[in-house]
């Protein structure tokens, strides 16, 4: 944390004659710049900061992994993975199913990357070109009241009672909507057991992202509301493993509604690219991180030294495997592992991937089966932490110990990719 937040020597680059400091905050914005030369400059400068401290970062990460190995052995676990997953009562099968399923689906990612290169009209696609928007000027610009009405229409498949709860959240002041002086940034939902309802903090702006944020945060709120209503205090809180499921179900349902009801092909292309990027970054990219952790811990358990050359070499191999030949895996990307704070909480990032897989599977089932699927989904929303998260997901028809849910998510990505290509 101190290396990442205090010691990194953030560099400056020149853009249009002006000096711009490349920080954690500005980096993501610079990667969306329409000028490839600016993106390249920001990418190389940002990684130079991590490369300058790579020996210290390697020692810190290696110490953390060796600590995991020691604790797993001291507590008589079969390995680091089993030890980490036991805290939420998740079997190792889930992690292994994720790695296997994603590896089988990597040709879809390679196809997406090739499409991105073609759409952007680039002779060479680099790692710093993966975040620039594929479709310009197709944003959904709505004031908050119109955005809320749109969200409610998008979530109509969840039924009348769910719609009434959404309206209550709007009418009864559950949501603090506007940005004001002294208010914290971002968006979140908070629920305290015993209160009449959750609270949602927004900083709403008229953008597509913020429209989806309304749906996302209300998903968290409805999960908390239903669990608190149905469970005693000791079992009301749900595990982190399922924390993003309800929020992402709402996003997927809203996206499906917009795609179905948009007469504008440009907007459809924008929405499809939004969905594909959501899956690429939350499912495929996080699984690549999860596989890196798996490799590093397995090596440490065998007594192999985790040198900077080993860690960078394994990460570069993974990057090439996941993204394919259409993109150039720049040398700097081999150091990406050094800037991921989540790696210091071992075997955590996979939950982002299993969360979106579960959400997509549930949303697809709701669209196909209607009321029966909604009824099962509400059982899950009302279950809190009354059982292991893997068992609770089964209430909504998702069994992560089998491969069906993983395949459904990959199929959804493939369908979006095919529709994008056809447009």
């Amino acid at each position: 944390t101190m290396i990442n937040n205090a010691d990194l020597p953030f560099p400056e680059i020149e853009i249009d004659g002006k000096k711009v400091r490349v920080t954690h905050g500005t980096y993501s914005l610079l990667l969306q710049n329409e000028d490839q030369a600016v993106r390249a400059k920001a990418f190389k400068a940002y990684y130079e900061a991590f490369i300058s401290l790579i020996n210290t970062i390697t020692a810190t990460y290696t110490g953390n992994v060796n600590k995991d190995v020691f604790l797993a052995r001291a507590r008589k676990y079969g390995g680091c993975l089993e030890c980490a997953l036991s805290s939420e009562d998740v079997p190792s099968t889930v992690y292994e199913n994720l790695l296997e399923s994603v590896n089988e689906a990597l040709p879809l990612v390679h196809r997406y990357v090739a499409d991105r290169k073609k759409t952007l009209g680039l002779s060479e696609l680099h790692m710093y070109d993966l975040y620039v928007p594929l479709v310009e000027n197709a944003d959904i610009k709505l004031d908050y009241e119109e955005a809320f009405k749109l969200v409610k229409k998008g979530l109509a498949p969840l039924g009348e009672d769910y719609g009434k709860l959404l309206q209550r959240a709007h009418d009864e002041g559950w949501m603090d909507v506007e940005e004001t002086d002294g208010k914290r940034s971002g968006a979140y939902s908070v629920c305290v057991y015993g209160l009449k309802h959750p609270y949602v903090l927004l900083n709403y702006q008229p953008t597509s992202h913020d429209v989806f944020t309304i749906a996302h945060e209300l998903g968290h709120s409805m999960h908390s509301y239903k669990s608190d209503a149905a469970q005693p205090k000791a079992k009301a809180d749900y595990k982190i493993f399922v924390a993003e499921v309800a929020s992402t179900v709402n996003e997927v349902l809203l996206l499906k509604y917009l795609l179905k009801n948009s007469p504008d092909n440009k907007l459809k292309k924008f929405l499809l690219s939004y969905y594909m990027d959501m899956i690429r970054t939350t499912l495929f990219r996080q699984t690549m991180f999860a596989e890196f952790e798996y490799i590093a811990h397995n090596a440490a358990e065998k007594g192999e030294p985790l040198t900077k050359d080993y860690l960078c070499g394994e990460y570069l191999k993974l990057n090439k495997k996941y993204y394919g030949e259409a993109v150039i895996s720049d040398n700097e990307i081999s150091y990406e592992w050094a800037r991921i704070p989540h790696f210091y909480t071992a075997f955590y990032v996979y939950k982002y991937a299993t969360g979106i897989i579960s959400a997509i599977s549930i949303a697809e089932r709701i669209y196909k089966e209607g009321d029966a699927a909604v009824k099962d989904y509400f059982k899950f929303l009302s279950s809190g932490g009354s059982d292991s998260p893997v068992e609770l997901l089964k209430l909504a028809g998702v069994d992560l110990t089998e491969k069906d849910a993983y395949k459904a998510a990959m199929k959804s990505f493939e369908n979006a990719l095919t529709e994008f290509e056809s447009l």
Side-chain angles (χ1 to χ4, degrees), residues 61-356:
Y61 180 63
T62 299
N64 201 67
V65 173
N66 288 334
K67 176 255 309 179
D68 294 336
V69 174
F70 168 78
L71 290 177
R73 287 175 178 165
R75 294 169 178 168
K76 313 297 182 191
Y77 284 100
C80 295
L81 178 64
E82 184 188 325
C83 179
L85 269 56
S86 70
S87 64
E88 288 198 316
D89 199 13
V90 175
S92 300
T93 316
V94 171
Y95 203 96
E96 288 154 5
N97 279 346
L98 174 66
L99 296 187
E100 287 172 16
S101 299
V102 167
N103 272 270
E104 288 168 8
L106 286 180
L108 290 174
V109 184
H110 302 167
R111 186 173 136 197
Y112 161 84
V113 171
D115 283 352
R116 171 171 273 276
K117 180 180 179 180
K118 183 179 177 182
T119 304
L120 294 174
L122 297 173
S123 57
E124 285 187 352
L125 185 78
H126 290 261
M127 291 305 297
Y128 46 77
D129 298 320
L130 293 182
Y131 295 91
V132 65
L134 288 176
V135 184
E136 292 286 357
N137 303 317
D139 216 5
I140 303 170
K141 297 182 184 295
L142 297 173
D143 64 40
Y144 170 71
E145 292 299 333
E146 291 302 312
F148 178 81
K149 288 175 186 174
L150 179 61
V151 168
K152 199 174 167 190
K153 287 177 185 174
L155 302 183
L158 293 174
E160 191 178 337
D161 287 346
Y162 195 92
K164 286 178 180 176
L165 267 180
L166 294 174
Q167 196 61 48
R168 276 188 61 195
H170 174 276
D171 297 345
E172 296 175 11
W174 298 14
M175 293 182 279
D176 185 329
V177 177
E178 305 297 338
E179 186 176 23
T180 54
D181 289 341
K183 182 178 175 180
R184 65 158 284 178
S185 61
Y188 70 93
S189 169
V190 64
C191 186
V192 178
Y193 191 87
L195 292 185
K196 290 180 179 178
H197 59 76
Y199 287 90
V200 175
L201 177 140
L202 301 171
N203 282 279
Y204 186 78
Q205 299 294 329
T207 66
S208 301
H209 177 270
D210 281 22
V211 174
F212 278 95
T213 298
I214 295 171
H216 183 99
E217 296 305 330
L218 283 172
H220 286 307
S221 291
M222 297 310 159
H223 193 176
S224 298
Y225 180 86
K226 286 187 168 291
S227 286
D228 280 13
Q231 300 295 330
K233 188 176 189 298
K235 295 184 178 182
D237 279 348
Y238 41 83
K239 301 279 190 183
I240 293 292
F241 186 86
V242 295
E244 294 299 327
V245 173
S247 54
T248 310
V249 165
N250 279 10
E251 285 200 68
V252 176
L253 290 175
L254 176 58
L255 186 107
K256 282 180 170 292
Y257 172 82
L258 290 168
L259 285 171
K260 186 178 179 181
N261 292 281
S262 173
D264 182 354
N265 277 352
K266 188 175 183 181
L267 180 58
K268 278 187 177 180
K269 280 177 68 177
F270 169 78
L271 291 165
L272 288 165
S273 68
Y274 180 95
Y275 186 50
M276 290 189 296
D277 280 339
M278 182 169 82
I279 295 175
R280 178 180 68 80
T281 55
T282 312
L283 199 170
F284 292 108
R285 178 173 158 80
Q286 298 298 333
T287 303
M288 187 178 94
F289 291 169
E291 190 165 350
F292 174 76
E293 288 189 277
Y294 193 73
I295 289 167
H297 282 80
N298 280 350
E301 286 173 353
K302 293 173 185 173
E304 296 175 17
L306 301 184
T307 64
K308 66 180 180 184
D309 291 338
Y310 175 80
L311 293 169
C312 289
E314 290 301 315
Y315 196 89
L316 186 60
K317 275 191 257 178
L318 279 176
N319 198 81
K320 289 178 177 178
K321 179 174 81 169
Y322 271 71
Y323 290 100
E325 295 179 359
V327 65
I328 294 170
S329 286
D330 309 270
N331 180 59
E332 287 85 358
I333 206 65
S334 64
Y335 295 91
E336 186 175 41
W337 66 269
R339 73 174 188 90
I340 310 300
H342 285 88
F343 285 163
Y344 294 87
T345 305
F347 302 109
Y348 178 90
V349 294
Y350 86 100
K351 297 173 193 176
Y352 293 116
T354 53
I356 194 171

